């Protein structure tokens, strides 16, 4: 079954990348005394998988996609221990991480639920560290908040957003932000991501989630630009739990082929690597981040100009108008 979902909690929605599917699901596990294992940040903003047993400030850091490979550590082992103690466990991660967990566990557990993210690749933590060092130095202050796809300019124009201890704030879209630019240019992911073995509609998980760019076409209603999540449910167990938590979401059944046709290019396909992918990491240490990125990826004057007027264009609804024209052109 395929659905489009969005959490009804507006604050959680705005912190989440798309429709915030993970929060009501996690709350179901917390209510059962269970645990949720997913990607968050450590004290140095490294992306790491951690255990959560309650909602709150710490859990809020799990919301949103982090376009970096997350460090799993002994997550699988600890999950096995909890399952052996007959506890409810939810694991959320990339498709390869979910597959890795299933291989490690060797058998099915009734109280385990897994969610895989449709993913087109994960950049290296080394690049992420270089990016964090660059931003910390530039703003001369500690980072206090990060969101890779902040919705200030709407879901369709998500931007990297960093807040600093000195009160300053940085936003940069994929047009100019060094981390997003390299991610979406397909130059920074792991080599294996470009020939991913898990590109298939059928998955080993209970749920698969991915971005929903075409809710207007899928539901025949106006897109309010706050984001929805495409959700595929693969198992009876997944369906049962979704029924129990469905009142926490706006939820609409959709045609699976149509949803994948419109939004799910990455469900069945790997990204095509940038021709410079093989060189990108070879001399990462030799350059400053801006020089390194600009050596391999073009950031044009036009990109910079568009970025500088984006705030005004958003307020004046120019971006919305341009998107409408683009969609009309696509439909012919
Ligand atoms: C590296 C990466 C690449 C992606 N590529 C695509 C794509 O090409 N096309 C597409 O449609 N969707 C992609 N997604 C999925 C998409 O960004 C959203 O996760 C999805 O739309 C669900 O949004 P949501 O608001 O419901 O998620 P949320 O409710 O915000 O939940 C997101 C969950 O993902 C977990 N997570 C975040 N980052 C990571 C990470 N690095 N590793 C493991 N788990 C993580 C969070 O901890 C959280 O539990 C990607 C996600 C990631 C992390």
């Amino acid at each position: 079954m395929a659905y489009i979902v969005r959490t009804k909690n507006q604050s959680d929605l705005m912190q989440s990348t798309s429709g915030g599917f993970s929060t009501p699901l996690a709350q179901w596990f917390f209510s059962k005394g269970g645990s949720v294992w997913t990607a968050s940040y450590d004290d140095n903003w490294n992306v790491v998988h951690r255990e959560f047993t309650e909602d709150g400030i710490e859990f809020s850091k799990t919301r949103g996609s982090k376009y970096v490979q997350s460090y799993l550590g002994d997550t699988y082992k600890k999950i096995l221990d909890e399952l052996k103690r007959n506890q409810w466990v939810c694991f959320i991660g990339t498709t390869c991480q979910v597959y890795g967990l299933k291989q490690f566990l060797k058998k099915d557990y009734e109280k385990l639920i897994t969610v895989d993210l449709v993913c087109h690749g994960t950049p290296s933590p080394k690049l992420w560290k270089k990016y964090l060092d660059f931003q910390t130095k530039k703003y001369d202050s500690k980072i206090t908040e990060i969101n890779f796809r902040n919705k200030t300019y709407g879901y369709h124009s998500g931007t990297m957003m960093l807040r600093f201890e000195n009160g300053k704030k940085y936003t940069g879209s994929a047009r100019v932000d060094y981390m997003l630019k390299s991610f979406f240019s397909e130059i920074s992911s792991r080599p294996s991501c470009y020939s991913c073995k898990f590109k298939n509609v059928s998955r080993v998980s209970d749920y698969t989630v991915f971005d929903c760019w075409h809710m207007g076409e899928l539901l025949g209603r106006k897109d309010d630009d706050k984001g929805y999540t495409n959700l595929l449910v693969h198992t009876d167990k997944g369906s049962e739990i979704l029924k129990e938590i469905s009142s926490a979401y706006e939820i609409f059944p959709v045609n699976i082929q149509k949803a994948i046709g419109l939004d799910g290019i990455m469900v069945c396909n790997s990204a095509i690597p940038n021709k410079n992918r093989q060189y990108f990491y070879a001399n990462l240490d030799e350059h400053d981040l801006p020089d390194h990125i600009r050596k391999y990826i073009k950031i044009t004057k036009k990109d910079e100009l568009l970025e500088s007027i984006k705030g005004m264009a958003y307020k004046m609804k120019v971006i919305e108008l341009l998107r409408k024209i683009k969609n009309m052109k696509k439909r012919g």
Side-chain angles (χ1 to χ4, degrees), residues 1-5 208 210-212 214-221 228-233 242 250-263:
M1 284 294 290
Y3 301 88
I4 290 181
V5 297
T208 297
F210 55 106
D211 294 331
C212 180
H214 293 88
M215 68 74 70
E217 272 133 298
L218 284 163
L219 300 183
R221 54 148 95 175
Y228 281 87
T229 302
N230 273 302
L231 171 70
L232 308 181
V233 183
L242 185 64
E250 287 175 41
I251 180 162
F252 308 92
V254 290
N255 176 290
I256 188 164
Q257 294 309 336
K258 196 170 175 191
I260 291 173
L262 285 169
D263 291 321

Side-chain angles (χ1 to χ4, degrees), residues 15-23 38-40 47 49 62-70 92-94 97 117-123 149 155 183 209-213 228-230 263 266:
Q15 290 169 26
S16 305
T17 294
S18 295
F21 172 68
S22 65
T23 299
T38 190
S40 182
V47 178
H49 259 72
T62 69
R63 287 187 200 110
S65 298
K66 295 123 185 109
Y67 295 132
V68 181
Q69 186 185 355
S70 111
I92 308 175
T94 56
Q97 289 175 332
L117 314 162
V118 167
C119 159
H120 72 267
T122 49
R149 276 184 38 199
Y155 175 63
F183 178 58
V209 290
F210 55 106
D211 294 331
C212 180
W213 302 115
Y228 281 87
T229 302
N230 273 302
D263 291 321
M266 286 298 147

